[in-house]
């Protein structure tokens, strides 16, 4: 008898067998926008994998059991062979979604994606009108992108508008939420802004929300989005612990580098000239990282914020602190804000505001 398994149950089962269930493929680092918050700005551009190389990789990950794919960038639609890559993705019956900014998406692209069974199409839109344009550094970007949201919805594609909420975009949350509901799109604002993979250019982080603004987001989330409120509470397993990156998820960069997940800046091998199976199964560094799964985060073991903290992203820890087991101070500040405590970052630690 075949038993239908809940997605989470299935995922855990595949994870135990180290099946690469879901992957994120960054087709290119090239982009026609310069979004203020983008954590990939500064990564090398040029020499990126050709269409036939991506198609080979699709077959290799398919053979290893990958089911879900996310295509991203950069701007993935900049890649000259993106349609051929998507055509093969659909032929292999992957479930897939695309993250893109809406400014170069054409009407016939929407038709193409519908015909090729896209699961979700995501738009990066960070405010209304000039707020968005300033954030992405392109005049007229909002007027290019927002009408495509409605056309995508009308085509019958599940459409998600992702907004990065920072002080410079905060004023636009409610208005953008209204436009998304009118269009029939899912509105997904987030204030979890992370450091860049390439260090030394993180001045934009000073534009993160204040504790008071974070609390307002939590209080008004349902009003803004029309969806259930955010859950800031977290009952951890037994103690804060290292995540499962590299067990059932992975990411591939445009030069062929394999990462344990999309948030990790450390490559564990390259699959441009080495088969995916070989790197996934036998990379010494990847297996070292895997061994940390479930290991207690001793830095957090006596923290008073545990009752609210729900951050366990080792990749973001590494981006912010250079260590997989040392929390991102901004995560601590957000957890403090949830507990109605204001906090400031002092080095790599959080201290309360008297």
């Amino acid at each position: 008898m075949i038993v239908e398994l809940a997605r989470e149950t299935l995922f855990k089962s595949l994870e135990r067998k180290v099946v690469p269930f879901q992957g994120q493929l960054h087709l290119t680092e090239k982009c026609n926008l310069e979004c203020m918050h983008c954590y990939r700005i500064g990564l090398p551009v040029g020499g990126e994998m050709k269409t036939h190389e991506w198609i080979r990789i699709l077959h290799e990950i398919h053979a290893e059991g990958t089911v879900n794919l996310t295509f991203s960038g950069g701007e993935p639609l900049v890649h000259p062979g993106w349609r051929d890559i998507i055509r093969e993705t659909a032929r292999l019956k992957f479930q897939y979604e695309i993250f893109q900014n809406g400014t170069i998406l054409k009407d016939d692209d929407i038709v193409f994606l519908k015909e090729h069974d896209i699961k979700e199409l995501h738009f990066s839109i960070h405010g209304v009108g000039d707020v968005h344009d300033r954030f992405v550094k392109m005049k007229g970007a909002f007027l290019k992108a927002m009408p495509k949201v409605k056309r995508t919805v009308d085509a019958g594609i599940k459409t998600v508008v992702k907004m990065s909420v920072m002080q410079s975009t905060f004023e636009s949350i409610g208005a953008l939420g209204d436009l998304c509901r009118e269009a029939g799109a899912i509105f997904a604002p987030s204030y979890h802004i992370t450091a860049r993979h390439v260090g030394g250019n993180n001045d934009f982080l000073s534009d993160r929300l204040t504790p008071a603004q974070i609390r307002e987001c939590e209080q008004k989330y349902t009003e803004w989005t029309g969806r259930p409120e955010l859950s800031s509470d977290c009952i951890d397993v037994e103690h804060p612990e290292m995540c499962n990156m590299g067990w059932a998820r992975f990411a591939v960069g445009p030069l062929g580098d394999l990462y344990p997940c999309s948030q990790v800046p450390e490559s564990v091998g390259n699959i441009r000239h080495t088969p995916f199976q070989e790197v996934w199964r036998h990379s010494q560094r990847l297996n070292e990282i895997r061994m940390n799964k479930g290991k207690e985060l001793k830095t957090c073991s006596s923290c008073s914020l545990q009752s609210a903290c729900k951050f366990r992203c080792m990749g973001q820890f590494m981006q912010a602190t250079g260590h997989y087991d040392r929390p991102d101070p901004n995560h601590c500040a957000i957890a403090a804000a949830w507990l109605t405590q204001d906090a400031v970052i002092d080095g790599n630690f959080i201290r309360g505001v008297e």
Side-chain angles (χ1 to χ4, degrees), residues 179-199:
L179 289 175
C180 290
R181 285 196 297 277
E182 290 169 10
I186 296 169
F187 180 44
S190 173
Y191 51 77
H192 302 157
I193 310 300
T194 63
R196 289 190 173 130
H197 282 342
V198 177

Side-chain angles (χ1 to χ4, degrees), residues 24-33 38-51 54 57 70-83 85 98-101 104 197 251-257 259 272:
Q24 184 158 343
L25 307 184
H26 295 270
L27 297 184
T28 179
E29 300 298 353
K30 297 173 184 174
C31 189
N32 60 322
L33 302 182
C38 180
Y39 66 85
R40 300 188 71 84
I41 285 178
L43 290 171
V45 175
E48 299 168 343
M49 288 196 291
K50 308 296 184 185
T51 302
W54 280 114
I57 287 171
T70 298
F71 291 94
S72 185
E75 166 56 49
L77 303 192
V78 167
H79 192 287
W82 76 266
R83 279 200 179 197
I85 294 167
I98 299 178
F99 289 4
Q100 49 84 51
N101 62 46
I104 62 175
H197 282 342
V252 182
L255 302 181
D257 288 303
Y259 301 92
R272 190 169 197 171

Side-chain angles (χ1 to χ4, degrees), residues 24-316:
Q24 184 158 343
L25 307 184
H26 295 270
L27 297 184
T28 179
E29 300 298 353
K30 297 173 184 174
C31 189
N32 60 322
L33 302 182
E34 297 180 47
C35 298
M36 179 176 177
H37 71 301
C38 180
Y39 66 85
R40 300 188 71 84
I41 285 178
L43 290 171
V45 175
E48 299 168 343
M49 288 196 291
K50 308 296 184 185
T51 302
H52 70 90
E53 294 177 286
W54 280 114
I55 289 176
R56 173 183 59 78
I57 287 171
L58 288 176
H59 283 262
E60 291 180 3
I61 63 178
H62 183 267
E64 282 294 287
T66 303
V67 174
N68 290 339
L69 287 179
T70 298
F71 291 94
S72 185
E75 166 56 49
L77 303 192
V78 167
H79 192 287
W82 76 266
R83 279 200 179 197
D84 289 333
I85 294 167
I86 293 302
R87 191 176 286 112
E88 191 66 9
T89 298
R91 195 186 72 79
L92 292 171
K93 304 298 184 184
F94 285 106
Q95 296 183 35
Y96 73 97
E97 56 194 25
I98 299 178
F99 289 4
Q100 49 84 51
N101 62 46
T103 62
I104 62 175
L105 180 73
K106 301 188 295 294
D107 288 346
D108 63 332
D109 294 332
I110 297 172
V111 173
F112 171 84
L113 292 172
K114 176 63 176 177
E115 291 174 346
H116 289 82
D117 302 318
I118 188 171
K119 180 184 175 185
E120 295 181 6
L121 185 60
H122 293 229
F123 287 76
S124 294
I125 301 178
H126 308 288
V128 173
D130 289 343
V131 171
H132 175 67
D133 292 358
R134 287 194 298 269
F135 191 82
V136 303
K137 298 182 181 177
M138 175 191 274
K139 186 69 175 174
F142 179 78
L143 291 178
K144 286 177 179 288
M146 198 65 208
K148 300 294 175 61
V149 171
K150 176 62 174 171
R151 291 175 200 169
T152 303
V153 171
D154 290 344
I157 296 173
K158 186 176 180 180
T159 307
V160 182
V161 173
K162 291 193 164 182
M163 176 186 186
S164 294
V165 185
M166 301 172 73
Q167 291 185 48
S168 55
T169 64
F170 189 77
E171 65 184 84
S172 266
I173 307 174
L176 184 55
D178 289 342
L179 289 175
C180 290
R181 285 196 297 277
E182 290 169 10
I186 296 169
F187 180 44
S190 173
Y191 51 77
H192 302 157
I193 310 300
T194 63
R196 289 190 173 130
H197 282 342
V198 177
N201 59 351
N202 285 321
D203 292 348
F204 71 98
L205 294 180
S206 62
D207 197 46
R208 283 169 166 164
L209 297 190
T210 66
Q213 289 171 324
I214 289 171
R215 287 191 285 274
E216 185 174 351
C217 280
E218 293 279 319
Q219 293 160 2
K220 294 186 176 180
Y221 188 81
T222 304
E223 173 188 332
W224 285 332
T225 66
R227 293 184 287 133
E229 63 186 25
L230 287 172
S231 174
S232 302
D233 297 325
C234 176
I235 301 174
D236 216 335
V237 185
E238 291 180 1
H239 49 70
E241 61 183 37
M242 296 280 275
C243 76
N244 62 351
M245 63 181 179
W247 282 81
R249 58 172 56 86
F250 64 93
V252 182
L255 302 181
D257 288 303
L258 182 68
Y259 301 92
C261 85
S262 63
Q263 295 297 312
V264 174
E266 178 189 3
S267 172
V268 295
N270 190 285
I271 61 173
R272 190 169 197 171
H273 303 295
T274 304
F276 175 82
Q277 181 189 88
E278 182 176 332
V279 180
W280 178 256
R281 296 188 184 185
H282 304 297
S283 164
Q284 179 178 343
R285 181 56 184 145
L286 180 55
N287 283 313
E288 288 172 353
I289 292 172
R290 285 174 177 147
M291 292 299 291
N292 288 316
K293 177 189 172 186
K295 184 182 294 184
E296 183 178 1
L297 287 173
K298 295 182 179 178
T299 309
C300 304
S301 59
S302 60
C303 179
S304 62
L305 301 176
Q306 281 192 54
S307 63
C309 183
K310 61 179 179 181
F311 295 109
R312 302 288 181 269
C313 181
M314 310 295 96
Q316 292 180 13

